[in-house]
């Protein structure tokens, strides 16, 4: 399965940026920065409006350790059965030089050749994989005759808040027409042509991370980044068998959200300015790594950074139970889902939406148009009931 890691801390930049980096280091405390993998980066795009998550991820704080110390551990992670099933399915798709994958690429992408080259980048050794990936992608992008078509275990990079994350997509496919496609292999099933929408959305966000990383690489090499298609190839088992099926998934929306969030993480000055200078999320681990900081003190520090809790945080963020408990204590039990909230221009709760609809609540700045639409909807509802 894909493996990613984060480059250990680097020296803080000089000048004005240095104070920002030092402030982020102070937020994290004495522990090294938490590695970002593709799943973690994709989760950033799931809640781009959460200041608490932006600050913690920008500083590299271990949110899982913080949640456990607070008494709100999140039941994340795959079961051993799911991991084994995923490894078996990926091995099936990649068997015999990705022969089964090539069959699906012919169908999904219209690949016009009977056979293609296959490069397993992992064969060169871990310390050379990124350099070898760069060389292979550069050669393919410049139209080399011996450029391979399928790259297994490539290693890409992406800058996350001043640190370098190393990312390994399942496969990068290069079509002879000059387009790169990310191939994402997942073990959730497609039943009668339908898959779990939440699982597909998560896979699309993760694939968008790889698309952005590959486009960044092409741009660094002096090539057109749009040579990387926004259509990724999602490979899943079909029905209740292990026979794989491929589908094209458009990730343009996920790419746009991911870019905005990564840009936000590189300019955290405004969010940092809203925090008292002595605030830190440090767990103060002892020699054995066990947190020693008082729980109430850590909770107060976290509450200093505004959260944007929504029900779908339960599947994307380690701090979800802590933030949910905080929202309940604040009386925000009627929170709207994030998609509805975004469509309503930031209206966060049922009570707020109803107040704008019946005119008992004045709209905030920027909510005037949404309030007008809600009042019209309320008027139509009453007319239908009379």
């Amino acid at each position: 399965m894909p493996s990613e890691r984060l480059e250990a801390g680097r020296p803080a930049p000089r000048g004005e940026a240095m104070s920002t980096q030092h402030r982020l280091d102070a937020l994290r405390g004495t522990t090294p920065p938490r590695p970002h993998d593709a799943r973690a980066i994709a989760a950033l795009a799931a809640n781009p409006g959460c200041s608490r998550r932006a600050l913690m991820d920008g500083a590299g704080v271990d949110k899982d350790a913080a949640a456990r110390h607070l008494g709100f551990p999140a039941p994340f992670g795959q079961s051993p059965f799911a991991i084994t099933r995923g490894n078996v399915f990926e091995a099936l798709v990649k068997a015999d030089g990705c022969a089964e994958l090539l069959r699906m690429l012919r169908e999904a992408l219209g690949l016009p050749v009977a056979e293609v080259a296959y490069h397993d980048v992992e064969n060169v050794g871990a310390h050379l994989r990124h350099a070898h990936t760069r060389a292979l992608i550069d050669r393919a992008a410049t139209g080399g005759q011996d450029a391979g078509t399928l790259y297994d275990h490539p290693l890409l990079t992406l800058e996350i808040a001043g640190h370098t994350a190393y990312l390994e997509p399942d496969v990068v496919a290069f079509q002879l027409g000059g387009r790169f496609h990310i191939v994402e292999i997942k073990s959730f099933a497609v039943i009668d042509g339908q898959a779990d929408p939440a699982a597909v959305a998560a896979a699309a966000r993760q694939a968008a991370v790889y698309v952005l990383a590959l486009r960044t690489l092409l741009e660094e090499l002096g090539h057109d980044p749009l040579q990387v298609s926004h259509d990724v190839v999602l490979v899943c088992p079909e029905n209740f068998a292990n026979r794989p099926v491929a589908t094209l998934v458009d990730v343009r929306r996920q790419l746009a959200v991911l870019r905005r969030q990564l840009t936000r993480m590189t300019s955290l000055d405004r969010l940092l300015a809203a925090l008292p200078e002595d605030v830190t999320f440090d767990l103060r681990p002892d020699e054995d790594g066990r947190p020693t900081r008082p729980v109430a003190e850590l909770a107060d520090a976290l509450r200093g950074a505004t959260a944007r809790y929504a029900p779908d945080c339960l599947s994307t963020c380690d701090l979800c139970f802590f933030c949910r408990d905080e929202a309940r204590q604040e009386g925000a039990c009627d929170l709207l889902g994030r998609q509805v909230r975004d469509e309503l221009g930031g209206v966060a709760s049922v009570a707020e939406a109803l107040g704008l609809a019946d005119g008992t609540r004045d709209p905030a700045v920027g909510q005037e148009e949404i309030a007008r639409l809600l009042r019209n909807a309320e008027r139509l509802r009453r007319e239908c009931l009379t």
Side-chain angles (χ1 to χ4, degrees), residues 266-307:
T266 59
S267 55
L268 295 173
D269 303 56
R270 181 181 57 82
L271 297 180
L272 288 170
L275 292 178
E277 290 191 3
D278 59 346
V279 167
T280 177
F281 304 145
D282 190 3
L283 300 181
R284 299 173 192 161
D286 59 18
E287 293 181 355
D288 297 325
R290 291 189 293 267
T292 63
R293 187 174 185 183
V295 172
E297 185 180 312
L298 176 61
D300 287 341
L302 287 173
R303 292 189 184 102
T306 304

Side-chain angles (χ1 to χ4, degrees), residues 97-337:
C98 293
E100 186 69 13
L101 177 59
L102 177 58
R103 174 190 65 81
M104 290 182 288
L105 290 177
R106 290 196 193 102
E107 297 173 357
L109 302 180
L111 205 61
V113 293
E115 295 182 359
V116 297
Y118 169 79
H119 289 280
D120 190 346
V121 185
E122 197 172 40
N123 290 336
V124 302
H127 62 293
L128 294 175
R129 284 175 63 199
H130 178 55
H132 191 47
T133 298
R134 287 177 63 96
L136 289 172
I137 297 299
D138 187 29
R139 188 169 61 187
T142 54
Q145 293 299 315
D146 56 345
T149 301
L150 299 179
Y151 303 103
D152 198 0
H153 301 110
L155 195 63
L156 306 173
T157 63
L158 196 62
E159 288 292 315
I160 306 295
H163 300 281
T164 301
Y166 289 87
L167 310 167
E168 183 186 321
D170 292 324
V171 177
V172 172
F174 177 65
Q175 190 179 359
L176 296 182
R179 298 280 281 174
F180 292 91
H181 290 267
I182 294 294
V183 178
E184 186 70 9
I185 302 173
K186 294 296 184 183
S187 60
F188 59 83
V190 177
I191 309 292
D192 294 332
Q194 300 292 324
D196 177 14
V200 173
R205 288 193 297 267
Q206 186 173 342
V209 175
Y210 298 135
V211 170
L212 182 59
L214 186 53
R215 285 185 173 181
T216 301
L217 173 58
L218 284 178
E219 192 169 13
E220 291 173 355
L221 293 172
H223 303 296
D224 181 6
L226 295 182
Q227 283 185 266
V228 184
S229 175
H230 56 257
D231 289 324
V232 303
V233 182
L234 179 61
V235 179
C236 300
E238 186 175 23
N239 296 324
F240 298 99
N242 250 6
R243 176 176 171 80
V245 60
T247 307
L248 288 179
V249 178
D250 188 337
V251 297
R252 277 177 291 188
R253 183 177 66 83
Q254 290 83 359
L255 274 170
V257 174
L258 180 61
R259 286 196 190 96
R260 287 197 300 270
Q261 183 67 343
L262 293 183
T263 300
R264 187 167 181 250
M265 289 182 64
T266 59
S267 55
L268 295 173
D269 303 56
R270 181 181 57 82
L271 297 180
L272 288 170
L275 292 178
E277 290 191 3
D278 59 346
V279 167
T280 177
F281 304 145
D282 190 3
L283 300 181
R284 299 173 192 161
D286 59 18
E287 293 181 355
D288 297 325
R290 291 189 293 267
T292 63
R293 187 174 185 183
V295 172
E297 185 180 312
L298 176 61
D300 287 341
L302 287 173
R303 292 189 184 102
T306 304
R308 189 191 183 210
Y309 174 76
D312 37 350
C313 291
L314 296 173
S315 61
T316 59
C317 184
D318 296 290
L319 279 173
C320 57
F321 289 155
F322 173 78
C323 296
R324 182 178 68 175
D325 182 72
E326 178 186 44
R328 286 174 172 172
Q329 291 183 24
E330 293 174 353
C333 297
D334 61 344
L335 288 173
L336 297 168

